Amino acid sequence: ASYRRIAETEPAVKAFITLDEENARAAAAQLDKVLHEGGERGLLFGLPAGIKDNIVTDKLTTTCASQFLSNYDPIYDATVMKKLKAAQSVTIGKLNMDEFAMGGSTENSSYAVTTNPWNKERVPGGSSGGSAAAVAAGQVYFSLGSDTGGSIRQPAAYCGVVGLKPTYGLVSRFGLVAFASSLDQIGPVTKNVEDSVYVLQAIAGHDPQDSTSANVAIPDYTAALTGDVKGLRIGVPKEYLGEGIDPKVKEAVMDALRVYESMGAVWEEVSMPHTEYAVACYYLLASSEASSNLARFDGVRYGIRAENPDNLIDMYRKSRSEGFGPEVKRRIMLGTYALSSGYYDAYYLKAQKVRTLIKQDFDQVFEKFDVIIGPTAPTTAFKLGTQVEDPLTMYLNDICTIPVNLAGVPAISVPCGLADGLPVGLQIIGKAFDETTVLRAAYAYE
Ligand code: GLN
């Protein structure tokens, strides 16, 4: 059914970089046996899944939407892939994204332009645009994305689906191609909150192969499926609803808050004064980490190698010049500059300090409130081609999602109505490792 749906919708949507039909059918045939002959069934038994193409999959090409990795067939599975297999989900293929997860529209992919299933002149968001579009188009039951500054939540918002960024450290990053290691987190994109609960249950948990993985007990997330938010205390940051936010998006968020009120929750306006520095802080830190992480793509260890170099340095230079697209180069240059001697204190170290202030904004609000609610993104999905030449405008789309990564806390985007026929996302942010409250608030609203 999944491949049939892909055949119908993929010519317009273009969510996938690689389809893995033969192996998927073989895996499904195995599960069919269990169905008819008996045997244990995993939590995600038989559910077709799409995987963002920066999560490594054993023997299945993993490109990160980069020409650099056009020939990269990993020899192992990411921990999340092992967990999905253990839960008996079936991998349908690898999904389009912005190259190395850098971007907010999936237009930085060097493979294809993914369109928004709601309107094919609009972007699906990014960087996990393929992950959101595939779920919205009904091609897969769920997908995995990665979120460094909003890349699960923002495309989920634009495509009218549910996207969860778990607490930093809850889901293993082993086998996620690193963009900014102190911010990256894998999470589910699903049609509804209940599905998000089950996928999170399957992929969360401590992993000794990821040194930043948290050793915490994983609760039973189905405890979130109560529909009850009586007495829930909601903080609404005025900075998330101020200048630059489309009035129709704001109206949809206010409507959602009225729904919460009617269910017995209480909300109050709060201030998170360092929000205005979050975008600048993030782009310094994320680019710095990226410039270091992407040093491994040297033409020797992974992916392509340029032909006929004059010498070793020329081989590095040519391989990297040919392999990386413009946005990736921009980030590497920005990051290398920010980390260079003489500038480190003024940029990188300063940004680290600002990061702490942003985290303290969250700590303060969470002393009095259970969740923070606002929009996921300032606007609905914008038109293809309108921002890709203008990186600064593109970066500002992340204003509501980036602070969450800097603080390391969990957040979900759930659909909250339409503005001019396009989906609006409601963002619900929680305390570190309190995914249960985030999911409970999301489920009750949905
Ligand atoms: N749009 C942001 C960026 O370009 C976030 C990307 C992400 O979360 N991977 O860095």
Side-chain angles (χ1 to χ4, degrees):
S2 196
Y3 286 106
R4 199 181 316 129
R5 183 77 187 145
I6 289 169
E8 287 163 13
T9 53
E10 192 60 358
V13 177
K14 298 196 189 72
F16 283 90
I17 292 178
T18 308
L19 287 167
D20 194 26
E21 186 160 354
E22 212 174 299
N23 288 320
R25 284 186 184 277
Q30 282 296 320
L31 298 181
D32 210 42
K33 265 199 197 147
V34 175
L35 203 59
H36 292 106
E37 291 162 24
E40 216 164 303
R41 296 196 204 172
L43 184 60
L44 306 175
F45 183 81
L47 295 182
I51 308 297
K52 188 176 182 180
D53 211 17
N54 59 351
I55 295 172
V56 305
T57 41
D58 192 15
K59 297 191 266 302
L60 178 58
T61 309
T62 299
T63 68
C64 293
S66 181
Q67 289 307 312
F68 216 124
L69 295 180
S70 49
N71 63 356
Y72 174 51
D73 296 333
I75 54 166
Y76 69 104
D77 266 329
T79 298
V80 289
M81 294 312 299
K82 288 197 189 125
K83 285 179 176 273
L84 286 190
K85 279 183 188 164
Q88 293 177 312
S89 148
V90 177
T91 298
I92 296 298
K94 304 297 292 288
L95 292 160
N96 200 18
M97 55 185 281
D98 287 299
E99 186 175 2
F100 286 103
M102 298 171 186
S105 68
T106 309
E107 291 165 293
N108 293 334
S109 167
S110 71
Y111 289 81
V113 176
T114 302
T115 64
N116 190 314
W118 287 74
N119 178 335
K120 56 177 190 295
E121 274 152 39
R122 303 272 165 166
V123 300
S127 65
S128 313
S131 302
V135 172
Q139 298 178 332
V140 290
Y141 268 56
F142 73 92
S143 62
L144 293 185
S146 71
D147 191 313
T148 305
S151 279
I152 291 174
R153 290 160 287 157
Q154 183 256 35
Y158 286 2
C159 292
V161 293
V162 174
L164 173 71
K165 184 204 87 76
T167 306
Y168 184 76
L170 185 70
V171 176
S172 169
R173 292 186 298 111
F174 180 73
L176 170 67
V177 178
F179 162 13
S181 321
S182 78
L183 301 158
D184 298 339
Q185 193 57 194
I186 295 172
V189 179
T190 54
K191 289 183 194 173
N192 57 44
V193 177
E194 189 174 3
D195 289 356
S196 190
V197 162
Y198 294 120
V199 181
L200 180 66
Q201 198 81 56
I203 62 174
H206 180 240
D207 179 9
Q209 287 181 291
D210 170 3
S211 65
T212 60
S213 160
N215 202 345
V216 292
I218 302 303
D220 177 356
Y221 293 115
T222 59
L225 303 174
T226 61
D228 180 13
V229 287
K230 227 170 263 121
L232 186 81
R233 297 164 306 169
I234 303 169
V236 180
K238 64 170 195 271
E239 291 79 4
Y240 289 20
L241 290 167
E243 215 185 308
I245 308 289
D246 180 335
K248 289 185 179 154
V249 168
K250 182 171 175 177
E251 204 34 54
V253 171
M254 297 314 290
D255 283 345
L257 289 171
R258 284 189 274 274
V259 171
Y260 276 107
E261 262 175 13
S262 74
M263 294 190 292
V266 288
W267 69 271
E268 222 175 278
E269 188 176 276
V270 298
S271 176
M272 303 185 74
H274 298 97
T275 305
E276 64 171 305
Y277 307 111
V279 171
C281 170
Y282 166 89
Y283 277 96
L284 276 171
L285 294 178
S287 304
S288 296
E289 293 185 26
S291 78
S292 168
N293 277 325
L294 271 58
R296 77 193 62 186
F297 301 106
D298 56 4
V300 178
R301 283 170 281 197
Y302 306 91
I304 58 141
R305 175 181 300 184
E307 277 168 31
N308 306 318
D310 296 337
N311 52 42
L312 182 64
I313 297 294
D314 193 46
M315 190 277 289
Y316 293 151
R317 187 188 298 127
K318 278 200 175 122
S319 300
R320 288 169 71 83
S321 300
E322 289 167 18
F324 291 136
E327 182 63 22
V328 177
K329 288 176 183 160
R330 186 178 294 124
R331 307 269 181 127
I332 292 173
M333 286 195 289
L334 181 64
T336 305
Y337 179 79
L339 289 175
S340 57
S341 126
Y343 295 105
Y344 179 91
D345 288 358
Y347 295 116
Y348 184 74
L349 196 64
K350 187 62 123 288
Q352 288 284 35
K353 291 178 181 172
V354 173
R355 179 175 187 172
T356 301
L357 294 174
I358 289 167
K359 181 175 178 298
Q360 286 169 357
D361 278 357
F362 282 91
D363 293 344
Q364 265 164 23
V365 174
F366 284 135
E367 276 173 21
K368 272 186 68 190
F369 297 91
D370 303 307
V371 291
I372 293 169
I373 290 186
T376 305
T379 66
T380 53
F382 46 89
K383 283 211 168 101
L384 283 157
T386 52
Q387 292 192 12
V388 69
E389 303 298 334
D390 180 8
L392 280 182
T393 304
M394 186 79 89
Y395 296 173
L396 287 171
N397 293 311
D398 303 329
I399 178 70
C400 304
T401 47
I402 274 175
V404 171
N405 300 75
L406 291 170
V409 295
I412 198 167
S413 178
V414 291
C416 75
L418 302 175
D420 297 328
L422 291 168
V424 178
L426 184 75
Q427 181 173 221
I428 306 166
I429 307 167
K431 298 174 190 167
F433 299 106
D434 193 13
E435 273 73 6
T436 305
T437 302
V438 170
L439 290 161
R440 178 163 65 91
Y443 182 73
Y445 170 74
E446 185 188 60

